[in-house]
Amino acid sequence: MSEAVNAGKKPWIAHLDKEASYWGEGMWESVLAIMMKDFLLSDSDSTAADTARRIDNYYEQEFLPSDPLMKFLDDKGIGGFLTTFYELVFNLARLIPYNSSNQEKLVQLILELRKLPPRQFKIWKEDCLVWTREPLFILLTEDNWNGSYPSDAKERRSGNGEQSFQELCDEWVKLSSFFARCIEAGLYDNYQNRCKHASIDIPQGLGQDLPRGVNGDCKVMVAAQYILLAGRTLADDCFNKPVKGFGPEEWKCWAEKFKEISMQEDGNNTDMVLATEEARKYMVSLHPEIIQASEDN
């Protein structure tokens, strides 16, 4: 498919079309891309459950029989299948707007996959239950979180045909919003620290006086999205399982910082400013007592 044709499409649709075209008709990677496109374009309430069953059945009925030797492997090829599927999901999360219902649909699809009767496999010599207990979802979360942060080095490298720093920051906000939705949906509950990424990225945006601009606004927006989309879970950990740097005192400081930022509005990036206002309101609604105590002092 030509670049000119792709140019007028939503980025996530163009990405799926490109994946399907690259792998070719009938190839399993192409089939997954087409399934995801159909799923995200559908308005049916039952689509997530239906698509989950289609993906699970495709592995058993098409993918596994495609190679007669695969059934002799410890993981029966499920490791490669899961990796490709999850990477497709994370790539879509980078491209779908942070406030789009399609972000929520991605999370709902994973939840529906986890409701299916589990299949037993050995992945890396460990007994696993797919889709409910396997190491690849959190591993690929870590890889995408570590590899997508818009650092100063990326700012220096961007341009000359590569993504601009603004584009990298926009993708980071979208991906972080997806991580936040995963936290609130309980997708990380079985892992050691379900709020790890939020506990690092919120202080990155609120723990210091960042200059306004692409970099600073991006970090603040990420912090706001974590609160808006995963606030209940984050508050539960902050107040009931506090650790150093992630407890009631930090909750209060973050709410104060959101208020400070929203009052410094200079007419630029109104989406970010509105997000800070809504984030603070939500924090107050969840724990009004600690915010009120701060204002009374």
Side-chain angles (χ1 to χ4, degrees):
M1 184 168 293
S2 70
E3 292 296 326
V5 173
N6 270 334
K9 297 180 179 179
K10 292 180 179 179
W12 64 266
I13 294 179
H15 176 73
L16 289 172
D17 285 347
K18 185 177 180 180
E19 285 289 296
S21 175
Y22 175 81
W23 293 108
E25 184 177 358
M27 297 298 293
W28 67 273
E29 297 93 341
S30 176
V31 172
L32 282 179
I34 293 169
M35 282 186 187
M36 292 302 290
K37 181 179 177 181
D38 291 344
F39 165 59
L40 292 172
L41 288 174
S42 173
D43 293 327
S44 172
D45 292 337
S46 63
T47 307
D50 291 343
T51 303
R53 285 191 292 271
R54 286 181 66 197
I55 292 170
D56 193 57
N57 289 338
Y58 182 80
Y59 165 79
E60 182 179 32
Q61 298 170 9
E62 301 290 340
F63 177 81
L64 185 57
S66 68
D67 183 347
L69 297 179
M70 204 178 299
K71 63 183 178 182
F72 298 110
L73 300 176
D74 281 347
D75 73 348
K76 295 178 173 56
I78 193 67
F81 189 82
L82 286 176
T83 297
T84 297
F85 170 71
Y86 287 141
E87 283 291 9
L88 187 59
V89 168
F90 286 120
N91 285 333
L92 289 170
R94 284 191 184 85
L95 299 173
I96 295 172
Y98 68 89
N99 54 358
S100 168
S101 61
N102 274 338
Q103 283 246 356
E104 194 62 42
K105 287 180 74 171
L106 291 177
V107 174
Q108 191 60 41
L109 176 59
I110 298 173
L111 287 171
E112 291 295 338
L113 284 164
R114 293 189 177 189
K115 292 178 184 178
L116 296 174
R119 301 175 184 273
Q120 292 186 344
F121 296 94
K122 278 192 178 293
I123 300 178
W124 303 330
K125 299 183 179 180
E126 292 185 13
D127 292 327
C128 299
L129 292 175
V130 176
W131 299 77
T132 56
R133 192 185 74 240
E134 43 79 14
L136 289 165
F137 182 65
I138 189 62
L139 174 68
L140 293 169
T141 294
E142 287 291 312
D143 285 350
N144 281 274
W145 181 72
N146 284 318
S148 302
Y149 187 81
S151 65
D152 293 339
K154 289 182 181 178
E155 183 174 14
R156 290 192 295 272
R157 289 200 308 270
S158 62
N160 298 321
E162 298 182 12
Q163 287 179 296
S164 70
F165 189 62
Q166 178 69 67
E167 289 172 328
L168 291 171
C169 287
D170 289 345
E171 287 192 1
W172 181 239
V173 173
K174 296 169 188 174
L175 186 60
S176 298
S177 298
F178 177 70
F179 292 151
R181 286 181 164 89
C182 289
I183 292 171
E184 192 70 358
L187 293 179
Y188 298 135
D189 282 359
N190 292 331
Y191 303 112
Q192 186 174 10
N193 184 356
R194 62 180 178 174
C195 296
K196 171 188 171 181
H197 307 117
S199 69
I200 294 172
D201 289 339
I202 293 175
Q204 283 282 335
L206 304 179
Q208 50 189 320
D209 292 324
L210 295 170
R212 292 296 299 274
V214 174
N215 189 30
D217 288 3
C218 168
K219 290 179 179 179
V220 171
M221 189 63 161
V222 165
Q225 294 307 307
Y226 270 116
I227 294 295
L228 289 169
L229 297 169
R232 286 192 181 279
T233 302
L234 298 180
D236 181 54
D237 278 18
C238 271
F239 286 83
N240 299 319
K241 309 168 194 174
V243 295
K244 183 178 180 180
F246 197 72
E249 186 62 30
E250 284 72 30
W251 188 265
K252 180 182 71 174
C253 291
W254 296 338
E256 291 172 350
K257 191 65 178 180
F258 278 136
K259 181 178 181 180
E260 177 187 328
I261 293 170
S262 67
M263 293 176 66
Q264 293 175 349
E265 163 60 359
D266 58 5
N268 296 318
N269 203 343
T270 54
D271 287 346
M272 186 271 287
V273 173
L274 288 172
T276 62
E277 293 174 352
E278 291 303 312
R280 183 182 184 278
K281 288 178 184 177
Y282 190 36
M283 296 182 81
V284 172
S285 73
L286 291 171
H287 279 280
E289 75 288 347
I290 196 167
I291 308 298
Q292 187 61 48
S294 173
E295 293 178 347
D296 290 342
N297 290 334

